[in-house]
Amino acid sequence: MKNIRTDLALEAREVLQEQNQFHIPGVKVDEEEKEGVKISRVHIMSPLGEENLGKPQGNYITLEAMDIKYRDPEYQETVSTLLAQELGKLMNLNDNSVILVVGLGNWNITPDSLGPKVVDRVLVTRHIFEYIPEQVDERIRSVCAVAPGVLGITGIETGEIIMGIVQRLKPDFVIAIDALASRKTDRIGTTIQIADTGINPGSGIGNKRMGLNRDTLGVPTIAIGVPTVVYAHTIGRDCIQLMMDEFTNQAGPGSSFYQMFKQMDEEQLDAMVQQVVSRSMGDLVVTRKETDLMMDYIADILADGLDLALHKNMTIEDINHFLN
Amino acid sequence: MKNIRTDLALEAREVLQEQNQFHIPGVKVDEEEKEGVKISRVHIMSPLGEENLGKPQGNYITLEAMDIKYRDPEYQETVSTLLAQELGKLMNLNDNSVILVVGLGNWNITPDSLGPKVVDRVLVTRHIFEYIPEQVDERIRSVCAVAPGVLGITGIETGEIIMGIVQRLKPDFVIAIDALASRKTDRIGTTIQIADTGINPGSGIGNKRMGLNRDTLGVPTIAIGVPTVVYAHTIGRDCIQLMMDEFTNQAGPGSSFYQMFKQMDEEQLDAMVQQVVSRSMGDLVVTRKETDLMMDYIADILADGLDLALHKNMTIEDINHFLN
Amino acid sequence: MKNIRTDLALEAREVLQEQNQFHIPGVKVDEEEKEGVKISRVHIMSPLGEENLGKPQGNYITLEAMDIKYRDPEYQETVSTLLAQELGKLMNLNDNSVILVVGLGNWNITPDSLGPKVVDRVLVTRHIFEYIPEQVDERIRSVCAVAPGVLGITGIETGEIIMGIVQRLKPDFVIAIDALASRKTDRIGTTIQIADTGINPGSGIGNKRMGLNRDTLGVPTIAIGVPTVVYAHTIGRDCIQLMMDEFTNQAGPGSSFYQMFKQMDEEQLDAMVQQVVSRSMGDLVVTRKETDLMMDYIADILADGLDLALHKNMTIEDINHFLN
Amino acid sequence: MKNIRTDLALEAREVLQEQNQFHIPGVKVDEEEKEGVKISRVHIMSPLGEENLGKPQGNYITLEAMDIKYRDPEYQETVSTLLAQELGKLMNLNDNSVILVVGLGNWNITPDSLGPKVVDRVLVTRHIFEYIPEQVDERIRSVCAVAPGVLGITGIETGEIIMGIVQRLKPDFVIAIDALASRKTDRIGTTIQIADTGINPGSGIGNKRMGLNRDTLGVPTIAIGVPTVVYAHTIGRDCIQLMMDEFTNQAGPGSSFYQMFKQMDEEQLDAMVQQVVSRSMGDLVVTRKETDLMMDYIADILADGLDLALHKNMTIEDINHFLN
């Protein structure tokens, strides 16, 4: 697993499947399809499962909504509604719950700006509870939101900013939104992962040194992420892998080709890819030319999903009335 | 004083001068001109001065740089350098000082976006001290920066977010940047106020309920503000006042006109203005058509001034090398 | 009329009404109210009417939709629909009509960016007719759109760019969208004017030297404008006027005050206002603090209205499907 | 050549070199290095050269400025100056020349927004010559600029808009700015190509059906382009090619591997790549995560280079005074 860079538990599992490991000890998976959206639930149940998938124990729910890119308003509403349902199952909300939404990422880098964009759109209400409690509609819960920025802008580890705010506000739940990197290009802007394990160091597009999870924050922490890029390196690796498989198939396991291939190690492969994607590889990403537009509609879908999940008996229409 | 809405101590004093109060008890003022910039230092020394000017005790330094609008790079550098000098006098920095820059305001509202824009441009270094101390250049101090957002976006009082962060990071100084409202239109985008009293409730363009000052944060707090708007209401009031003065002069104090004028109270005057600037008066502001551009160059000047003040023996050129 | 700066025929008429001129020779006015929107139709029928209102002969239809600012999606749809209906009455479209939408204004100056924003959102279809005619849906007409920029960005008079394009494309209609200046602050972002006289020199927020109308372009040209600012100078003038009226009423026409007032000429009044709104008066405008947001929703309403008017039997929902 | 997608003549030549074709009939190449910038001049001299490189006859000058990414202001000025020099050699400007700068591309798609950004920054002067000739500084020439938008926004082929404008304005030169696709990732944002052949159908990131060149516009047309993306497909193809070469080397030309490889045709290779970069391949691009920032500084360099080339005896400092 170690050389595969993916933020999706679903993809970590796919990698093992590609290596013909269909039963993964310590991991339970179930899948269903609803209204054109494929929902996969990966449950990592034990330290063994943790080791096998390279992700912390917990629940990872993935919505694959391939048609999002056609930007049909009804389909978008369907995705928001399914997101809200899955989110609801992971959170035990009551009438007095206070929820802090954290939008991770860099607002100046389009494919990393998902979190800040969601913070700009989500319905916040905590100030109504605090300052004009008499105006609180009985359908709303207390929601607040921050976009803390990234290390390069603030000089402060994101985790520290959030810990400071959490210690002061004492929310009952934290929901962290982040842009992710996937392995497959067709997941860019079409897949949403919800994880009750929070954010862990090294995940997301930016670099994180500190986790945002129950251990570090002291409150249940849900992460919601959407892949917005695939690292160029991944594309290179995948192309080479595919060709090797192809030729190995054709040449057969007894062939000299197969021998040659077996002798190549990870490092040799990486060096090859590096020749193609150049020295400044680290920040090279594959994305859609229309990323700017994509970020906007994904942020809308997540904000709508959060609004539906966090408040009570409200439709998207009700929420629009509140927002405006 | 109470009906005059200004964030500048300088203007509070001007209002008294217009009423022929030239000596203000408890207040000391000195003025000088340097390289095309008028520097005024208003020192409110006592509770009496506080009451007279309607501002907390402390130092208020104003740079009036009327030529900023011509965007001459050398003049901009002059203003940044003078800002750095004045800032240096108010802060007792040593080699180990940690400074937190707070960019107040709403990034989605152009005339209120000054603070977030400065945060995006200022040189942050704290992460170098924390994570790669061996790479620290001896000329830099530890600087970090946050743009907390506004109540309507976050649902959290700005002061609470900053308190949480200050309690965790324990900086030695906080510098809060904010867009202000002035009384005079020619101060829009041309005047910089530095105050060692921090930010106090109700100041700035947005609404603040909680101060950001030594009392609330526990560390010395400097506020830097630039007027980006004049309230439409102020324009209306000033026009009426001006006309009244004119007619009173012409008609003489014994005239019936003077009598009529004397009988009008504040409320009647406000009601008159309201007829012109309409019901939704609260958010009507006077600004330059080119606000978007103006915000950018003002943010550059403030960021340069901060960089020069907070680090040691560095020129703007040195800082540009660091930033890029 | 000459000292009153307004782009709205409705306001030109109001000024006369304020001077107790209720019947204006050469001008016909009718008004109705529909679903919370006040529709006024000013028809300037003769050179006399032209002179009286200071606007070219033709039809000026104004939709006053004061509740737009609450951003209720249904109300916005109502306004778009009424706009489409009024627009339809001024244009004699047939199945083969080609329509060119011109978005005037400067995309870098928020209150002047209405035209370019509408161009970005309107449904364009001309390329389908030209390059893939077999895919043309029978409900659509051929629509194209350009945002030519402003003199300061291009170095070219906007009219010249449009003439060049019109001569090449030979559209049947031109619709020019522009941000306007009104006299009354409560019209900012709430009023839409449609005029079959096109755009005439000096109208709009930017400076125009050349008209965009049937005379200059050779095709019927409709102008759609929305006030996004009031000049600060207008506010000043109005406040002074109001106060004078007040005092004149109180003092009576025989009073010395009335005499004084009668002796003041336009120039004296302007000089007074100038003292308050400063030397750089030209670019000082009154607008909403939230202009950025306002521009977005107004552009949506206009784009929807255009889409409904220019295509056949389509709902906003149908159009959204086309756009995405 | 036909399956290699590159907009750079330099890369077309490299492809041939990689195939051990070092002398290309009909093509002359010279190279030099100046102040850290590699300048290559590819001259396609005949129809044979045209066929060999797959580009029209003419001059293609490439500046490879690998250190641009460090954003050193002095290095940026060097690049602008070299660009101005090369541009000067291709244009025969006299005191009365009128130059039209055309910024191609889509302002809403970050990696395609180079042209519009340059238009926003270049010094335009034509309006001074037209409307206030008495204020013309003797160092300036008449320059104007337009950003026509793209087919999907306007519904009009870009070439048609430009032809309309050119016919009306009759400039002496057109300079078209466009974002390009390269084959190599380290050219993203570091390489500038100047070609006196103009823009030809299919070049640039967007789709163009119509050329912008001397034939279509009737005036000499220079194209300036900077690669901002590499197509994901190119990365895939290159990785596979590299691996094949590696294995062929190791296995030798008599090996069965070599045989297998020889039997694969272009289509099979493309199909392989497609499996990795997915169905929606067309709009998948490799770019820097920091594209937003990169576009800004590249646009500055191009605008400065244009200003230096198009006016007379002016420094970047002089131009900044003019611009502000």
Side-chain angles (χ1 to χ4, degrees), chain C residues 276-290:
Chain C
V276 173
V277 294
S278 91
R279 281 129 277 166
S280 55
M281 213 178 62
D283 65 351
L284 282 173
V285 293
V286 177
T287 187
R288 296 232 189 103
K289 221 163 57 184
E290 288 85 356

Side-chain angles (χ1 to χ4, degrees), chain A residues 70-72 74 317 321 324, chain C residues 70-72 317 321 324:
Chain A
Y70 304 119
R71 294 165 54 213
D72 177 76
E74 281 158 54
E317 209 164 278
H321 278 273
N324 303 335
Chain C
Y70 304 119
R71 295 165 53 214
D72 178 75
E317 211 164 277
H321 278 273
N324 303 334

Side-chain angles (χ1 to χ4, degrees), chain C residues 42-276:
Chain C
V42 174
H43 185 189
I44 303 184
M45 296 173 295
S46 66
L48 184 62
E50 208 168 300
E51 198 184 328
N52 281 329
L53 278 196
K55 307 262 165 213
Q57 278 184 57
N59 292 289
Y60 299 83
I61 298 162
T62 312
L63 308 180
E64 290 176 275
M66 290 301 158
D67 294 342
I68 279 183
K69 56 176 162 278
Y70 304 119
R71 295 165 53 214
D72 178 75
E74 281 157 54
Y75 188 76
Q76 293 191 5
E77 197 168 329
T78 300
V79 179
S80 293
T81 306
L82 292 172
L83 168 59
Q85 285 169 7
E86 296 300 324
L87 207 47
K89 291 179 200 164
L90 294 183
M91 300 171 76
N92 195 9
L93 291 167
N94 65 46
D95 279 8
N96 301 316
S97 299
V98 175
I99 304 103
L100 171 64
V101 176
V102 175
L104 300 170
N106 187 338
W107 42 77
N108 294 324
I109 293 181
T110 306
D112 196 27
S113 63
L114 183 65
K117 277 183 195 287
V118 171
V119 165
D120 265 3
R121 287 154 207 231
V122 81
L123 174 62
V124 294
T125 52
R126 182 179 171 277
H127 53 318
I128 310 176
F129 283 85
E130 295 283 315
Y131 303 114
I132 38 173
E134 67 281 6
Q135 287 183 24
V136 168
D137 183 297
E138 57 176 15
R139 292 169 301 171
I140 67 173
R141 284 199 186 85
S142 176
V143 175
C144 52
V146 284
V150 294
L151 192 64
I153 288 179
T154 62
I156 313 167
E157 178 63 38
T158 306
E160 282 199 86
I161 297 179
I162 299 309
M163 278 180 213
I165 296 172
V166 165
Q167 275 162 20
R168 189 152 189 101
L169 261 57
K170 305 199 187 310
D172 300 295
F173 290 90
V174 169
I175 301 179
I177 315 293
D178 204 6
L180 305 179
S182 62
R183 274 186 66 228
K184 295 205 173 157
T185 57
D186 55 7
R187 290 220 168 87
I188 296 176
T190 60
T191 296
I192 303 170
Q193 175 174 274
I194 315 165
D196 61 6
T197 55
I199 300 275
N200 293 288
S203 61
I205 295 185
N207 297 311
K208 275 137 207 134
R209 290 154 184 271
M210 205 181 276
L212 289 181
N213 48 47
R214 192 171 211 146
D215 287 346
T216 57
L217 300 181
V219 294
T221 301
I222 310 278
I224 302 181
V226 175
T228 61
V229 300
V230 171
Y231 284 97
H233 188 258
T234 307
I235 299 284
R237 280 295 298 272
D238 282 2
C239 280
I240 290 183
Q241 187 66 51
L242 194 76
M243 220 201 72
M244 286 182 157
D245 295 351
E246 182 71 20
F247 286 133
T248 309
N249 275 346
Q250 290 187 22
S255 67
S256 62
F257 175 83
Y258 184 79
Q259 297 312 317
M260 233 164 43
F261 167 54
K262 280 284 152 206
Q263 282 153 26
M264 290 187 73
D265 60 12
E266 289 291 323
E267 264 175 54
Q268 279 179 292
L269 277 175
D270 276 344
M272 257 187 182
V273 176
Q274 219 135 331
Q275 272 187 270
V276 173

Side-chain angles (χ1 to χ4, degrees), chain C residues 15-62:
Chain C
V15 171
L16 295 179
Q17 287 184 323
E18 285 162 17
Q19 297 164 4
N20 297 317
Q21 277 193 258
F22 292 100
H23 174 73
I24 309 166
V27 175
K28 210 179 89 187
V29 182
D30 82 273
E31 291 175 352
E32 66 175 313
E33 175 118 10
K34 273 190 189 169
E35 301 170 72
V37 179
K38 191 173 152 198
I39 305 177
S40 312
R41 297 181 190 85
V42 174
H43 185 189
I44 303 184
M45 296 173 295
S46 66
L48 184 62
E50 208 168 300
E51 198 184 328
N52 281 329
L53 278 196
K55 307 262 165 213
Q57 278 184 57
N59 292 289
Y60 299 83
I61 298 162
T62 312

